[in-house]
Amino acid sequence: MCRTLAREVSRHVGQNIVLQGFLHWKRDLGGIRFVLLRDRSGVVQVVVDRRFELPLAESSMKVVGKVVANPKAPGGYEVLAEHIEFYAKATEPSPIEIPKEAWRANPDTLLEYRYVSLRGEKARAPLKLQAALVRGFRAYLDGQGFTEIFTPKIVSAGAEGGSNLFGIDYFEHRAYLAQSPQLYKQIMVGVFERVYEVAPVFRAEQHATSRHLNEYLSLDVEMGFIESEAEVMDLEEELLRAMLEEARHLADHEARILGVEWPNTREMPRLEHHEARRILREELGMPVGADFNEEAERALGAWAKERWGVDFLFVTRYPESARPFYAYPEGDGTTRGFDLLFRGLEITSGGQRIHRYEVLLEQLRKKGHDPAQFAGYLEVFKYGMPPHGGFAIGAERLTQRLANLPNVRYARAFPRDRHRLTP
Ligand code: AMO
């Protein structure tokens, strides 16, 4: 007999089936005992008689039994066990009551015992949603002539500037964990013209916020032979539509568990930075600097929702002072750099890049970087780079907003933060 998944039980009424999964929950009502068995698809009720000893919750198990309709059972069907076998009995009570999980309850406990708390349907759902989004990312870009690349995560210099670099010992040298694949994805544009990467990146953020991780999954895109950053934004719009469509299709069950409200992907308006700043200052009474803080982003997101009914908002033409050295300068203090806010959270930075050697050198110096540190990267610009641009989506932030998670940590299986190196 082949295995039947919990979600497929209704198709087998009157038949004997095999279930495999975990002892999710048990209840003894004197005469009868009920078990909820959980597998990758969901949970199903199993009725168990006195012949079988029931071990602790989370034990892995196999059940052979007959499917009957029971309107009182979750999903309307249950299995009358004829045979039960335990692959490995839990030897300790689970530190978390998986059936009662609620991440608002005690976040630290949920994260500390992640190796078992993740088994909860609600805890694992964002990861499934994320896997579907990533699949959509790859599928869409593959269809547009992009090549997937794999760049080093041990590097000799930071790509984004700033002080949030993790240093490591690399034999007799100082090395760093990559903050982003920025420089390498640009080099690879000279090879394949259109590239993408799905890989973790590292940021030594000292502060603990609900939207910063020290290790996160960066969905990077870079493309050559563009006229301006508008083409890059056009591509990101189409890409996000495809990713959300894929998630809707592949993770519909999880989206329901999480109460996902699918965003408006029809329009993603573009607002120039100076205009966004004016709105913040004059209409929303928020004095802001060149780079918007969390509060300003949230306010802009809410403003765009109210004014235009949109969930995605591009902020374009960022000032040079708020962008890294590789951003294409317009010559008037602004760049062709943009951010994308999703429901008031920055999920993307991107833009057109400098493609000429001498401009790059000048911008590096202007930003106070030592060009010698970037020697390997600079080399490629001596060999005719095309005009190019791209962006990176923070996978956890996109998942966080989509699933309405209170903290970005829940969008990563084993989050790394200021105080967490295990599990
Ligand atoms: P940036 O540094 O803005 O740009 O990062 C791009 C996107 O990555 C996500 N992100 C984070 N997510 C979780 N925790 C963090 N600490 C964190 N930091 C950033 C955000 C952000 O929008 N090389 C450029 C991208 C490019 O221009 O192509 C870069 O890395 O969603």
Side-chain angles (χ1 to χ4, degrees):
M1 236 186 302
C2 320
R3 178 183 184 188
T4 300
L5 290 175
R7 220 189 302 169
E8 302 162 348
V9 161
S10 62
R11 290 189 225 146
H12 299 272
V13 183
Q15 297 169 9
N16 262 346
I17 60 162
V18 176
L19 293 168
Q20 287 172 307
F22 300 87
L23 204 171
H24 186 60
W25 178 86
K26 58 181 176 176
R27 190 168 196 194
D28 199 330
L29 290 181
I32 7 174
R33 290 181 303 168
F34 295 106
V35 162
L36 287 182
L37 175 143
R38 184 189 70 246
D39 65 18
R40 67 175 189 268
S41 73
V43 296
V44 57
Q45 180 163 298
V46 179
V47 184
V48 180
D49 67 34
R50 291 273 155 209
R51 273 177 298 156
F52 305 107
E53 275 294 313
L54 290 180
L56 291 169
E58 292 310 311
S59 299
S60 54
M61 66 194 289
K62 173 180 177 179
V63 172
V64 182
K66 191 172 171 180
V67 181
V68 295
N70 174 3
K72 284 194 213 139
Y77 300 88
E78 64 188 10
V79 175
L80 309 175
E82 281 162 21
H83 172 75
I84 298 187
E85 189 183 319
F86 293 95
Y87 298 114
K89 292 181 182 171
T91 54
E92 283 190 44
S94 167
I96 283 156
E97 280 193 82
I98 306 282
K100 291 190 188 160
E101 53 152 347
W103 45 55
R104 274 164 231 273
N106 191 344
D108 271 334
T109 313
L110 289 175
L111 293 175
E112 188 177 341
Y113 299 108
R114 201 79 166 138
Y115 48 83
V116 58
S117 69
L118 267 180
R119 290 186 181 184
E121 286 204 280
K122 207 169 165 185
R124 74 188 182 186
L127 306 185
K128 188 82 176 181
L129 198 61
Q130 192 174 87
L133 288 166
V134 171
R135 184 173 149 141
F137 178 84
R138 285 199 166 103
Y140 178 78
L141 294 170
D142 286 342
Q144 298 296 316
F146 283 76
T147 301
E148 182 166 11
I149 57 169
F150 308 92
T151 66
K153 301 305 153 210
I154 300 176
V155 297
S156 64
E160 304 299 328
S163 53
N164 56 355
L165 272 170
F166 283 113
I168 55 169
D169 293 328
Y170 192 73
F171 306 109
E172 59 276 15
H173 301 285
R174 187 66 174 159
Y176 304 93
L177 294 178
Q179 287 168 307
S180 80
Q182 185 61 40
L183 311 181
Y184 290 101
K185 69 175 177 173
Q186 287 184 252
I187 292 173
M188 292 308 282
V189 163
V191 179
F192 293 122
E193 295 178 21
R194 300 183 143 209
V195 294
Y196 70 86
E197 180 162 19
V198 177
V201 294
F202 307 89
R203 304 276 171 107
E205 314 274 3
Q206 286 287 350
H207 50 285
T209 77
S210 61
R211 57 190 216 146
H212 284 95
L213 292 161
N214 292 114
E215 177 182 27
Y216 70 88
L217 186 68
S218 188
L219 308 180
D220 274 272
V221 173
E222 201 69 22
M223 62 202 273
F225 300 104
I226 58 168
E227 295 289 333
S228 76
E229 77 278 29
E231 273 168 73
V232 179
M233 288 186 274
D234 291 345
L235 180 96
E236 185 170 13
E237 283 193 28
E238 284 303 322
L239 172 64
L240 282 165
R241 286 184 190 111
M243 289 168 72
L244 287 159
E245 202 44 50
E246 189 79 350
R248 217 172 165 147
H249 176 65
L250 286 179
D252 172 61
H253 177 68
E254 286 74 17
R256 260 178 245 229
I257 290 174
L258 293 164
V260 169
E261 282 178 39
W262 295 101
N264 170 3
T265 52
R266 286 184 309 280
E267 309 131 277
M268 304 186 189
R270 298 168 192 184
L271 194 62
E272 288 197 10
H273 185 275
H274 72 89
E275 178 61 6
R277 215 167 146 176
R278 189 199 60 76
I279 291 165
L280 284 164
R281 214 171 37 229
E282 293 175 16
E283 297 189 33
L284 302 169
M286 294 176 80
V288 284
D291 213 357
F292 300 154
N293 61 17
E294 194 175 335
E295 209 187 338
E297 284 172 2
R298 215 178 308 120
L300 260 187
W303 179 91
K305 182 75 181 175
E306 199 185 304
R307 186 65 63 96
W308 295 324
V310 296
D311 290 305
F312 290 95
L313 177 71
F314 282 102
V315 179
T316 65
R317 287 290 161 90
Y318 260 74
E320 272 182 51
S321 62
R323 295 317 262 203
F325 68 90
Y326 52 78
Y328 189 106
E330 284 287 43
D332 60 357
T334 71
T335 66
R336 296 192 178 177
F338 62 83
D339 272 6
L340 177 63
L341 307 184
F342 173 31
R343 293 178 174 149
L345 176 71
E346 179 206 314
I347 58 156
T348 286
S349 281
Q352 183 170 349
R353 330 292 189 183
I354 298 167
H355 59 280
R356 292 214 181 97
Y357 182 76
E358 58 295 349
V359 186
L360 203 49
L361 213 52
E362 190 187 316
Q363 287 302 106
L364 270 172
R365 291 212 180 94
K366 220 159 129 184
K367 289 264 175 198
H369 298 300
D370 173 9
Q373 281 266 300
F374 294 86
Y377 164 75
L378 281 171
E379 280 302 302
V380 78
F381 291 89
K382 296 176 182 166
Y383 301 97
M385 279 291 283
H388 63 284
F391 56 88
I393 304 173
E396 293 83 359
R397 287 210 187 159
L398 173 61
T399 309
Q400 178 189 4
R401 259 309 180 263
L402 187 61
N404 206 13
L405 306 176
N407 196 307
V408 73
R409 288 167 180 73
Y410 297 125
R412 195 150 179 91
F414 304 104
R416 291 289 169 258
D417 63 31
R418 187 72 182 76
H419 305 287
R420 211 176 299 278
L421 254 181
T422 57

